[in-house]
Amino acid sequence: MKHTGFNLKNLVKTLLFTSCLFLLTGCIPSYKFNGSAINYDIYKTIDISEFPIRAALVYPPLQQTFENKLLDTVTRQTRLQEVDGNADLEMTGEITGYSLSPQAVGTDAYATETRLTITVRVKYTDSKNPNNDLDQSFSAYRQFSSSLMLTDVQDDLCNEICDELVNLIFNATLGNW
């Protein structure tokens, strides 16, 4: 009686053969997930302007933290040269929101969680292709226990929120997802 069911030995041989074939022919798919989708034959420079704080509540170190993280991300994930003035791409904007809001209320009617939200408005201009231009606001937040003082957690929260904002902005502009 001949068995016509699943044969594990043949499946393994087929997979090994296919894998070797890909290795020998160099046809292995390659994916690069650094986020950048830029044609460097067209785009060579970017101008990233200051992002002043225009929020009602101001935390002075926020501007420098955000700008440094944005510039660092663009520098690490692209080959664009940062210039002042006439550039292929331009990023300008402002920090428009820095707010605290109660989130969870305990049995005593006091907030047990507080949310820190930061909003950044970005104007992205592509001098080579105006269809890529963008004028959009991005927001991100972190929650912390209301038993903590904002001054004790503010630096860490701002760093985390700025990281998220920079990723959102990068993906919406230079990432071109």
Side-chain angles (χ1 to χ4, degrees):
M1 183 170 184
K2 192 174 188 181
H3 181 55
T4 59
F6 177 73
N7 188 338
L8 183 61
K9 195 174 193 180
N10 284 339
L11 177 64
V12 170
K13 285 180 185 178
T14 303
L15 287 174
L16 282 173
F17 175 76
T18 305
S19 297
C20 289
L21 183 64
F22 276 122
L23 285 173
L24 293 174
T25 62
C27 294
I28 298 174
S30 173
Y31 299 100
K32 188 174 181 185
F33 289 108
N34 71 353
S36 178
I38 299 169
N39 181 344
Y40 293 107
D41 293 332
I42 298 171
Y43 301 101
K44 302 199 182 316
T45 59
I46 187 168
D47 179 11
I48 300 175
S49 299
E50 290 184 359
F51 282 73
I53 300 174
R54 304 271 190 250
L57 183 61
V58 175
Y59 177 56
L62 177 61
Q63 178 179 351
Q64 194 67 45
T65 299
F66 175 77
E67 290 171 357
N68 287 344
K69 287 181 179 290
L70 180 60
L71 186 58
D72 183 54
T73 297
V74 170
T75 302
R76 278 187 296 108
Q77 295 191 23
T78 73
R79 294 186 314 218
L80 295 171
Q81 180 183 358
E82 210 282 326
V83 298
D84 288 330
N86 194 16
D88 300 325
L89 302 168
E90 182 180 8
M91 230 184 267
T92 61
E94 58 194 359
I95 299 168
T96 58
Y98 186 89
S99 61
L100 295 167
S101 57
Q103 292 303 301
V105 179
T107 56
D108 57 1
Y110 287 103
T112 58
E113 291 275 315
T114 302
R115 177 179 289 177
L116 172 62
T117 304
I118 299 174
T119 304
V120 178
R121 179 175 172 248
V122 175
K123 184 177 181 190
Y124 174 76
T125 307
D126 183 336
S127 66
K128 308 288 186 182
N129 184 359
N131 290 333
N132 292 334
D133 289 1
L134 176 80
D135 190 345
Q136 182 178 337
S137 289
F138 298 86
S139 289
Y141 64 87
R142 291 293 182 273
Q143 289 185 191
F144 63 97
S145 171
S146 295
S147 65
L148 299 171
M149 295 293 295
L150 175 62
T151 54
D152 294 336
V153 295
Q154 193 166 221
D155 286 338
D156 289 338
L157 295 174
C158 285
N159 274 314
E160 291 174 18
I161 294 170
C162 284
D163 285 338
E164 184 176 342
L165 286 168
V166 165
N167 284 333
L168 291 169
I169 292 164
F170 185 89
N171 287 338
T173 56
L174 300 169
N176 200 16
W177 298 104

